[in-house]
């Protein structure tokens, strides 16, 4: 590669936020979210591996399970920026396009402008992306990136094993409005973000569990981590302990409630089930299992239990009735066939019905006269 | 009892609605819409409560009321009638397919509803064939926008009782699924909507081939215990809907 090796510690990147970011940040930026500008109509990440991409398509999340892929020398981070229809930008024109950069920082605070305005130096925490890793299409309104993760992230096996890394990596472009590029107006920026998160969320606390033949109901205190995406129930007929991995347990089955919920299952009445809850963050990392609660499966009755218990005559099945008479069913079948044939005749000879109706109509007219 | 009251209220509402619409005749006396007889069939859809007579074979302590309480099924039905004969009214043969479902929370051994969303449901899916007679002679010849309708025929009701996971319940080898045959009859009153808006009627005819459009209410009488024992999915119920003749 012919560009300088990029590497910054999170602490340095934080400092850069304060020094560079304050005056250059567009108003649309919120802490941590990728910068956006009206000049860019679409910014999107191309998924090649098992990272999760948010609804906006501008943030990808990689967790512990993706560690091997992140370390793979062939892995890349792909994405593109497309100019909006109302702002035609020629990315080949240096008056419009101020450069493509990448940088990293602690998650949540790392947005800043790599290139603030015309004539300004590129911020030292940003690295310009070499031509070989981005391309502009022929029309000049789209830039595509293909950045090797090996140089982008600079991770090693220890980062994966330590489980302490939680950082965002960004690709940023700087663009100016066509009508104003000649003056001193600054650049606006659009970003794509890759969040690498190897920290498990805090373990939630299970307060109550209730198990029927078909359902596990739980009440819990949610995980205290900021980036929790969902909670899930794990269970087993074998006893397990707080902090165990979820790999040996049934589930995880996601619950929709924030502090309670239900998941489906199939259990035998009287059986003892051990239930726990786990949290999952946006990178897909599961927390360790909460302290389990044991619950005895409660037998439940539905309508059919009530019917059978009361000695109902119905035995089930598709006879005419429990008595097993078949003549009415046969008659019904013939009626269905006849009606179906009439319908078929209408499809085959659509004009015939019309003619018949016209005759009726004429007859009625004649009768009226 | 509450269910019966509800049915009566709905019935009263349906009748009142049709009656009110009929009273509008005076206000739209200038309206003149042709009742089209150049038609070959009719499509209907209708909705209404359906309270099956499951408990009839049990006396006071029936399983339906014990489990579902006073709830009725929410029932819908579509049908297609093929006109066979048209002289003094119209005689048709019809095929109908309906769907009704009622559910309630499952209970524990003490009969108390469990503190979860475990629902047990009963589904009723009747297929019917009917002979249908519509007295539309006066609608066509005397410009009266009301068409009485009588239907009668055979039905086969598929049914299924499910547990909280949606699976068919099975108790001691008895599976809660099956079908039972029966008979039905219907008495209805159709209000010819084209009478009130001839311009839209012409548009419907031109665009969709719909010659006559009706708003209707009807009383349905269904029995499934006439051919033998079994779960009784018969019902007396009201329904209302729309019908399109083409």
């Amino acid at each position: 590669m012919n560009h300088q090796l990029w590497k910054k510690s999170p602490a340095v990147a934080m400092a850069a936020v304060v020094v560079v970011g304050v005056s250059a940040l567009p108003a649309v930026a919120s802490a941590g979210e990728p910068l956006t500008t009206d000049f860019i109509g679409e910014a999107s990440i191309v998924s090649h591996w098992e990272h999760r991409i948010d609804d906006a398509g501008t943030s990808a999340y990689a967790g512990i399970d993706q560690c091997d892929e992140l370390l793979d020398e062939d892995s890349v981070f792909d994405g593109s920026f497309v100019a909006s229809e109302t702002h035609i930008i020629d990315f080949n024109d240096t008056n419009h396009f101020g450069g493509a950069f990448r940088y990293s920082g602690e998650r949540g605070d790392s947005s800043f402008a790599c290139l603030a305005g015309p004539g300004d130096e590129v911020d030292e925490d940003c690295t310009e992306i070499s031509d070989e890793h981005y391309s502009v299409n022929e029309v000049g309104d789209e830039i595509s990136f293909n950045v090797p993760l090996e140089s982008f992230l600079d991770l090693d096996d220890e980062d994966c094993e330590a489980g302490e890394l939680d950082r965002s990596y960004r690709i940023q472009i700087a663009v100016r409005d066509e009508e104003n590029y000649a003056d001193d107006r600054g650049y606006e920026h659009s970003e794509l973000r890759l969040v690498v998160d190897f920290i498990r969320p805090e373990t939630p606390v299970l307060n109550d569990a209730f198990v029927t033949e078909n359902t596990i109901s739980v009440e819990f205190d949610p995980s205290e981590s900021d980036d929790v995406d969902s909670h899930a129930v794990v269970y087993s007929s074998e006893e397990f302990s707080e902090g165990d991995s979820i790999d040996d347990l049934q589930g995880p089955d996601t619950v929709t409630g924030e502090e309670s919920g239900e998941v489906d299952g199939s259990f035998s009445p009287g059986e003892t089930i051990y239930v726990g809850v786990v949290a999952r963050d946006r990178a897909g990392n599961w927390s360790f299992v909460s302290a389990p609660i044991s619950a005895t499966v409660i037998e439940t009755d539905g309508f059919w239990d009530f019917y059978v218990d009361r000695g109902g005559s119905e035995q089930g099945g598709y006879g005419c009735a429990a008595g097993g008479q078949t003549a009415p069913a046969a008659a019904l079948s013939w009626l269905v066939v006849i009606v179906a044939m009439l319908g078929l005749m209408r499809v085959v000879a659509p004009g015939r019905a019309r003619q018949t109706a016209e005759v009726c109509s004429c007859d009625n007219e004649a009768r009226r006269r | 009892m509450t269910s019966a009251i509800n049915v009566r209220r709905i019935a009263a509402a349906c009748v009142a609605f049709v009656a009110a619409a009929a009273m509008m005749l005076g206000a739209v006396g200038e309206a003149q819409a042709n009742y089209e007889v150049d038609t070959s069939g009719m499509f209907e859809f209708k909705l209404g409560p359906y309270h099956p007579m499951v408990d009839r074979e049990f006396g006071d302590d029936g399983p339906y009321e014990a489990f579902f309480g006073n709830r009725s099924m929410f029932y819908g039905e579509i049908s297609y009638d093929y006109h066979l004969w048209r002289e003094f009214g119209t005689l048709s043969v019809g095929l109908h397919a309906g769907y009704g479902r009622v559910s309630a929370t499952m209970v524990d051994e003490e009969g108390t509803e469990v503190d979860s969303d475990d629902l047990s449901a009963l589904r009723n899916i009747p297929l019917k064939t009917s002979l249908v007679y519509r007295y539309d002679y006066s609608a066509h010849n005397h410009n009266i926008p009301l068409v009485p309708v009588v239907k009668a025929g055979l039905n086969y009701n598929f049914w299924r009782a499910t547990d909280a996971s949606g699976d068919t319940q099975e108790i001691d080898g008895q599976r809660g699924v099956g079908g039972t045959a029966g008979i039905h009859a219907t008495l209805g009153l159709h209000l010819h909507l084209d009478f009130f808006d001839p311009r839209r009627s012409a548009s419907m005819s031109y665009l969709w081939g719909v010659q006559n459009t009706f708003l209707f209410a009807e009383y349905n009488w269904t029995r499934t215990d006439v051919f033998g024992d079994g779960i009784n999915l018969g019902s007396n119920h009201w329904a209302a809907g729309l019908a399109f003749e083409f």
Side-chain angles (χ1 to χ4, degrees), chain A residues 212 215 262 300-301 303-305 307 310 313-314 317-322 325 332 335 339 346 354 357 367-368, chain B residues 38 40 57 61 87 93 107 116-118 120 129 140-141 156 169 171 174 177-181 227 229-231:
Chain A
T212 68
T215 306
E262 295 184 0
T300 52
D301 289 340
F303 166 73
W304 189 237
D305 299 85
Y307 186 89
R310 284 166 171 75
S313 59
E314 179 64 57
Y318 293 95
C320 182
Q325 297 175 26
L332 181 67
L335 267 175
V339 172
R346 173 172 156 71
R354 178 174 292 272
R367 189 178 297 121
R368 266 207 295 249
Chain B
D38 182 10
S40 61
E57 67 171 300
D61 186 30
E87 280 295 336
V93 60
V107 300
S116 73
D117 289 337
D118 284 8
S120 175
T129 58
H140 177 54
N141 295 290
Y156 192 78
Q169 281 198 279
I171 312 297
Q174 284 182 249
V177 62
T180 182
F227 299 126
D229 294 335
I231 189 166

Side-chain angles (χ1 to χ4, degrees), chain B residues 43-47 76-79 214 216 239-244:
Chain B
F43 174 79
E44 293 181 2
F45 69 90
K46 63 186 179 186
L47 297 170
E77 185 177 304
I78 58 173
S79 65
F214 302 91
F216 68 88
L242 284 171
F244 304 94

